[in-house]
Amino acid sequence: MNKEIGPIEDLIKKLNRLPGIGSKTAQRLAYHIIEMEDVEVADLANSIIRAKKDTKQCSICMNYADSDPCEICSNNSRDDSIICVVESPKDVEAMERSLSFRGKYHVLHGVISPLKGKTAEDVTINQLLKRIENGNVKEVIVATNPTVDGDTTARYIQNILEKYDDLIISRIGYGLPVGGDLEYYDEITISTAIQNRRKLD
Amino acid sequence: MNKEIGPIEDLIKKLNRLPGIGSKTAQRLAYHIIEMEDVEVADLANSIIRAKKDTKQCSICMNYADSDPCEICSNNSRDDSIICVVESPKDVEAMERSLSFRGKYHVLHGVISPLKGKTAEDVTINQLLKRIENGNVKEVIVATNPTVDGDTTARYIQNILEKYDDLIISRIGYGLPVGGDLEYYDEITISTAIQNRRKLD
């Protein structure tokens, strides 16, 4: 019997394609959606459409945003002489939550990864170069993650920016997270934390 | 600043309300959706609307289905003298996957739970009673989960069905570990549990 796929089965299949949503979770979500109120379901579907349709990419920092330029790039009270380079929009959110940075951002949308065949062309490094050529940037903080690919990307950015004599290139500090417990961290984290020690005065 | 909520933030909030979707997962999903193709996003939103709109509740077994009566209830090759009572639509799917049961189902949509204030009125026990009064049912297999609430519900069903002299009331066999949940077990475990069902007396 070559029967058409039913609406529940269809929704389970679609949800199952999303990252981190296994078949059990997809099933649970689908049945939950069926039991939601009509208006809530319409609202959810509408939010999905709207997020895709109304989200723009900021032409300066390349982050996703509600407007172009984004709120951060168009905020004159933020220091545009210092750019923090991050891998993803989620990293911008994390940085903003920390309230510790008042400069501008640049979102790479990925990392250089020789193993995954990702080159500098696959991230927004060219756009970063243009910003530095056009603007009055004094420092670039590379805040890619402390992974092999994140470090490779940081090194690459350092190399192509070296030619700008007055530009400071820094890497975000790595070590133990505040509140962390030494015994739970791996050797490399601890070793990095030891190397990044600073004199107390 | 009383600023309007942006489309990304809005979607994250909506996804975060779904069961088992924490704020990190909601964020990851929202950014994934933004990076999906337009047509895929429309497709996902449409599947959500359609699942809610086109899913019916079978007026016989109370399961969610594409039609009323559902495919199983309207299948004449299945034995309608034996009804398997389960907690949820997911349990019907698990039973069907095991290929070990050729009767009909009854979906309770929950369990009796004194602690959670759920009584017999909150599940579809009245509809089950009507089926037994009207039909030629010879056996009811109670396949609620082997949990405190599942057992309470089984005992309750046994009590109200006792008055039907010729009706056999059985409980699904304890091939399932106590505290387990039917939907997570494999075909052989479920099939064994069906074979090991025992008459409640």
Side-chain angles (χ1 to χ4, degrees), chain B residues 108 110-114 116-125 153 156:
Chain B
L108 293 173
V111 274
I112 296 172
S113 173
K116 291 177 189 147
K118 297 282 179 192
T119 68
E121 297 299 309
D122 295 310
V123 297
T124 65
I125 285 180
T153 308
Y156 182 92

Side-chain angles (χ1 to χ4, degrees), chain A residues 136-157:
Chain A
N136 61 336
V137 182
K138 294 195 181 73
E139 180 174 356
V140 170
I141 303 175
V142 185
T144 52
N145 293 324
T147 56
V148 173
D149 291 343
D151 286 337
T152 303
T153 308
R155 185 65 60 184
Y156 182 91
I157 291 171

Side-chain angles (χ1 to χ4, degrees), chain A residues 158-178:
Chain A
Q158 185 193 3
N159 286 342
I160 57 162
L161 295 184
E162 253 171 5
K163 60 180 174 186
Y164 300 97
D165 283 339
D166 297 333
L167 185 68
I168 300 167
I169 308 154
S170 58
R171 183 99 169 87
I172 192 171
Y174 293 111
L176 291 178
V178 175

Side-chain angles (χ1 to χ4, degrees), chain B:
Chain B
M1 202 164 85
N2 198 349
K3 123 179 133 70
E4 211 185 314
I5 184 170
I8 304 177
E9 222 176 315
D10 170 64
L11 178 57
I12 292 173
K13 227 179 71 189
K14 299 276 164 63
L15 292 172
N16 195 189
R17 280 188 206 146
L18 297 173
I21 305 291
S23 58
K24 284 281 165 214
T25 307
Q27 200 188 37
R28 185 161 39 81
L29 288 176
Y31 282 114
H32 177 85
I33 286 168
I34 288 164
E35 288 178 353
M36 277 161 59
E37 297 297 324
D38 281 349
V39 59
E40 288 178 306
V41 174
D43 213 32
L44 173 63
N46 187 46
S47 289
I48 287 172
I49 295 285
R50 205 168 68 93
K52 175 67 185 175
K53 197 169 67 71
D54 291 353
T55 299
K56 294 168 182 63
Q57 189 165 23
C58 174
S59 55
I60 301 174
C61 71
M62 310 308 286
N63 195 8
Y64 295 129
D66 309 342
S67 57
D68 178 21
C70 75
E71 216 186 314
I72 293 172
C73 284
S74 54
N75 182 345
N76 291 326
S77 75
R78 295 186 71 125
D79 185 357
D80 61 4
S81 73
I82 177 162
I83 293 178
C84 177
V85 179
V86 295
E87 292 181 15
S88 80
K90 284 174 283 201
D91 297 332
V92 173
E93 287 190 30
M95 291 287 290
E96 287 295 287
R97 276 198 301 275
S98 81
L99 302 174
S100 57
F101 181 68
R102 295 298 298 165
K104 305 278 170 106
Y105 293 99
H106 193 83
V107 180
L108 293 173
H109 289 285
V111 274
I112 296 172
S113 173
L115 275 177
K116 291 177 189 147
K118 297 282 179 192
T119 68
E121 297 299 309
D122 295 310
V123 297
T124 65
I125 285 180
N126 284 335
Q127 288 87 339
L128 174 64
L129 271 177
K130 253 176 234 149
R131 287 176 76 179
I132 288 156
E133 271 160 20
N134 299 337
N136 60 337
V137 181
K138 294 195 181 75
E139 180 173 357
V140 169
I141 303 175
V142 185
T144 52
N145 291 324
T147 58
V148 173
D149 291 343
D151 284 338
T152 304
T153 308
R155 186 63 61 183
Y156 182 92
I157 291 172
Q158 183 195 3
N159 287 342
I160 58 162
L161 295 184
E162 253 172 5
K163 61 181 171 185
Y164 299 98
D165 283 338
D166 297 333
L167 185 69
I168 299 167
I169 309 153
S170 58
R171 183 94 170 89
I172 192 170
Y174 276 82
L176 298 174
V178 175
D181 191 330
L182 195 69
E183 66 167 308
Y184 293 110
Y185 288 94
D186 58 287
E187 293 81 346
I188 297 167
T189 305
I190 291 174
S191 164
T192 311
I194 283 282
Q195 282 157 26
N196 291 348
R197 69 184 184 272
R198 60 191 173 80
K199 195 168 171 292
L200 295 178
D201 41 30

Side-chain angles (χ1 to χ4, degrees), chain A residues 1-2 17 33 40 44 46 49 64 67 73 88 109 111 124 132 136 139 148 152 165 168 172 182 186 188 195 199:
Chain A
M1 202 163 82
N2 198 348
R17 281 188 206 147
I33 287 169
E40 288 178 307
L44 173 63
N46 187 46
I49 295 284
Y64 295 129
S67 56
C73 285
S88 78
H109 289 284
V111 274
T124 65
I132 289 157
N136 61 336
E139 180 174 356
V148 173
T152 303
D165 283 339
I168 300 167
I172 192 171
L182 199 67
D186 57 288
I188 297 168
Q195 280 157 29
K199 193 163 172 290

